[in-house]
Amino acid sequence: MNRIYQASALLLLFFMAGSSQAADRFPVLSQDEAWKRLAPLTKGKQVNLPTWARILARSLPRTTAGMLVLDQTHRRKNPVGIKLAAKMRWTIAEVNQCDSSRKRAEFDLKTAGVTEKDFKSPAEKAALTLARKLSVKGHSVTDEEIAFLVKHYGAAKVVAMAHLIAHGNFQDRILLAIGDHISQGESLAPISTPFNLRARVKINVPRRKKWERQEVEIPKDKLKKEYAAVQKKLDEQQKRKLRIPLPDWEKARKLFPPNQRKRPPSKIVWTTFSAGYQPILTMTWFNCYGQFRRESKLDRVYENSLFWVITHSNECFY
């Protein structure tokens, strides 16, 4: 899931490259201006957009549409259920001190009719603990904690929890960085407008600054030492037992859209887990990230350098 954290940082950086700062950090488009950017991707009803979407739509309209779909999917269609998803999302927002996400999660809790009595079971408390630990110190989650959740919820729902927590942290980091807030008259409900992210329409985006690469010479002895450390960690990971069994790919195919049911399993293990257990959540994420890569024109050297920094900071072997 570190690719999600990576994307959130990259998304912010490229938005900054395509816009000028304002007194409230970034310009906020009017509803009409924002919909002019998004309209080519949908024939649905143009409802009021959240502030964050009106900020991002100027520089990254396709990515914004992808994020709106992703937000709606997790808030209304996550397999863990609306009640537990809302409580987990509130926990993530509380940990990240993201006020706008917290208010939207409180709206979802109220809409679902959640009360304190709804979260008395050990399994539900364990799910909220997972949300908190993965948000703050992901590497501290233990095999025993995951085994307990799998026993009570099953592997597929635990994978859905991981996606929800990853999405919540991805979203909060962007909202906090751009200064998102709840505007007057803004609806707290997720946007249900359908978007066609595959639509072959041209939407102009601000020109990106040209990347300037600098060569950095790394001493051979340091490089050798770093490589040895990475190889040691890799060997340790390969000896570990899986916390969740690999999905039955033949059964998983039936969960995919009809035009994707012949796809082979990925050689990347986490992708196989995600797509095998939760194909809708996985494909919705990839659709969003794909739009970002298309619009941002990312420098691959910089991308992988930033990816290393984030995984190193999170103490993630990946």
Side-chain angles (χ1 to χ4, degrees), residues 60-222:
L60 296 164
R62 287 182 176 275
T63 306
T64 303
M67 289 176 63
L68 287 167
V69 174
L70 193 59
D71 178 70
Q72 195 267 352
T73 300
H74 277 290
R75 293 174 67 182
R76 291 293 180 265
K77 301 177 183 178
N78 191 293
V80 304
I82 294 177
K83 289 185 176 182
L84 184 55
K87 192 63 177 178
M88 291 179 71
R89 187 65 185 89
W90 187 92
T91 300
I92 297 163
E94 182 71 6
V95 167
N96 293 331
Q97 298 182 47
C98 185
D99 188 57
S100 59
S101 287
R102 185 165 43 215
K103 289 178 179 177
R104 294 183 182 104
E106 288 171 355
F107 172 86
D108 289 345
L109 288 167
K110 184 177 180 180
T111 301
V114 175
T115 65
E116 290 185 6
K117 294 181 180 179
D118 290 313
F119 294 94
K120 294 293 185 181
S121 74
E124 289 164 334
K125 290 180 180 179
L128 300 183
T129 297
L130 179 69
R132 189 173 296 106
K133 290 185 72 172
L134 271 181
S135 298
V136 177
K137 206 171 185 179
H139 64 273
S140 68
V141 175
T142 66
D143 294 346
E144 291 74 20
E145 288 173 313
I146 298 298
F148 178 83
L149 287 167
V150 171
K151 179 181 178 180
H152 285 80
Y153 290 103
K157 284 192 176 181
V158 175
V159 172
M161 289 178 188
H163 271 265
L164 173 62
I165 298 166
H167 169 258
N169 281 283
F170 151 74
Q171 190 176 52
D172 284 353
R173 280 157 175 75
I174 294 176
L175 304 192
L176 288 167
I178 66 176
D180 177 52
H181 59 277
I182 306 298
S183 302
Q184 186 175 4
E186 177 181 328
S187 173
L188 297 176
I191 303 301
S192 58
T193 302
F195 289 94
N196 179 10
L197 300 181
R198 296 179 178 274
R200 295 185 178 183
V201 293
K202 184 177 181 180
I203 305 177
N204 293 324
V205 297
R207 299 181 68 177
R208 313 295 178 186
K209 293 181 179 179
K210 186 177 179 180
W211 286 94
E212 294 182 6
R213 294 187 180 181
Q214 294 182 344
E215 292 186 8
V216 179
E217 186 175 346
I218 303 176
K220 290 185 178 180
D221 57 336
K222 183 177 180 180

Side-chain angles (χ1 to χ4, degrees), residues 27-44:
V28 182
L29 297 177
S30 68
Q31 292 288 345
D32 287 343
E33 290 172 329
W35 271 113
K36 284 180 181 178
R37 308 289 291 153
L38 299 174
L41 300 173
T42 182
K43 294 181 180 179

